[in-house]
Amino acid sequence: MNVIIRADYEEISREAANIISAGLKENPKTVLGLATGGTPKELYRRLVKEYKKGELDFSQATSFNLDEYVGLGSENKQSYRYFMEKHLFSHVNMKTGNIHVPDGLAPDPQLHCMEYERMIAKAGGIDFQLLGIGSDGHIGFNEPGSSLASRTGVVVLARETIRDNSRFFDSEDQVPRMAISMGLGTIMDARKCIMLASGENKAEAVRKCIEGPLCAMTPASVLQMHPDTTVIIDEAAACKLERRDYYLWLEKTRRKLLYN
Ligand code: PGA
């Protein structure tokens, strides 16, 4: 894993936005895997800003979101579809037909999940998969204990996730108990993964993901087996890493080799 440590949330957002923006400029037909939550908000704001300056074009891009709550439709303010419209889709020129978010109201969710996998394959696979990490080590809604090879499916949220996500709802009772999520196997098929984490409450999950054993109890640790994952974290999220100094030295050395 390529570990990039920056001072704060602003800086990790800028770093991730630069990677995605460069990828989109190099290949306008990029297939993006997108994430929701508090973490990617600033990254989306930066991409929108670049688009509005005329420096970025989403007209040929395709997107697939990681997950959606079962039972919430696009009009529901807590749905991930709503989040994406608010923070990205309504501001840029991505074609509606190229946007994919799992349908929380699908009449046959299992069938919908299989169809979602087929659509990703038909689009040629995901080029950049953006990821956050839960305080319990989940990516997407793949909770501890998930199969490391799972595909898109209907999952049950862990208590920790319900508690963490209740900050977006009026009360914990309102957080849906189930979701549709890309599986860990689906995420592992992406050509490049970019994981973002900010804040000390993520430090333990980040440590387990990068330095812990590869195991289903830390779903994000599956990324240790991914050939091209960049983890971009701020100092607070990096505070429990045993090899923090090494990652900083490694990045500095790489830059020197690349640019000298
Ligand atoms: P957050 O969620 O960005 O709101 O912290 C991350 C996640 O649960 O994957």
Side-chain angles (χ1 to χ4, degrees), residues 35-40 66-67 80 131-136 138-141 161 164-165 167-168 196 198 201-202:
T36 53
T39 314
L66 272 174
D67 45 20
Y80 286 169
L131 299 163
I133 182 169
S135 61
D136 66 354
H138 73 208
I139 47 176
F141 270 128
T161 301
D164 284 352
N165 290 6
R167 71 190 195 276
F168 299 115
L196 282 177
S198 168
N201 63 323
K202 297 292 175 72

Side-chain angles (χ1 to χ4, degrees), residues 3 6 25 27 32 36 43 48 97-98 105-106 118 130 143 150 161 166 187 205 220 232 236 243 258:
V3 181
R6 291 287 178 268
K25 282 173 187 158
N27 173 19
L32 298 166
T36 53
L43 152 70
V48 169
N98 288 351
L105 298 179
R118 266 198 294 272
L130 195 61
E143 303 287 22
S150 59
T161 301
S166 66
I187 293 168
I232 309 174
R243 307 272 285 160
L258 281 174

Side-chain angles (χ1 to χ4, degrees), residues 197-217:
S198 168
E200 210 179 325
N201 63 323
K202 297 292 175 72
E204 184 57 19
V206 164
R207 186 192 68 75
K208 286 183 178 165
C209 162
I210 300 173
E211 297 178 340
L214 169 66
C215 67
M217 285 307 285

Side-chain angles (χ1 to χ4, degrees), residues 33-97:
L34 299 176
T36 53
T39 314
K41 280 187 190 171
E42 175 60 17
L43 152 70
Y44 292 143
R45 199 190 64 77
R46 284 174 177 274
L47 293 179
V48 169
K49 199 169 151 198
E50 248 196 274
Y51 167 76
K52 287 191 171 156
K53 276 202 261 169
E55 290 166 5
L56 217 47
D57 176 24
F58 290 84
S59 63
Q60 297 179 68
T62 300
S63 73
F64 288 91
N65 262 79
L66 272 174
D67 45 20
E68 178 62 282
Y69 290 116
V70 167
L72 303 194
S74 58
E75 305 296 312
N76 190 309
K77 288 190 175 160
Q78 315 300 345
S79 74
Y80 286 169
R81 176 72 196 214
Y82 190 95
F83 174 102
M84 290 308 302
E85 291 294 337
K86 182 173 168 195
H87 294 282
L88 184 68
F89 300 150
S90 67
H91 306 286
V92 299
N93 64 339
M94 203 180 280
K95 291 198 182 90
T96 310

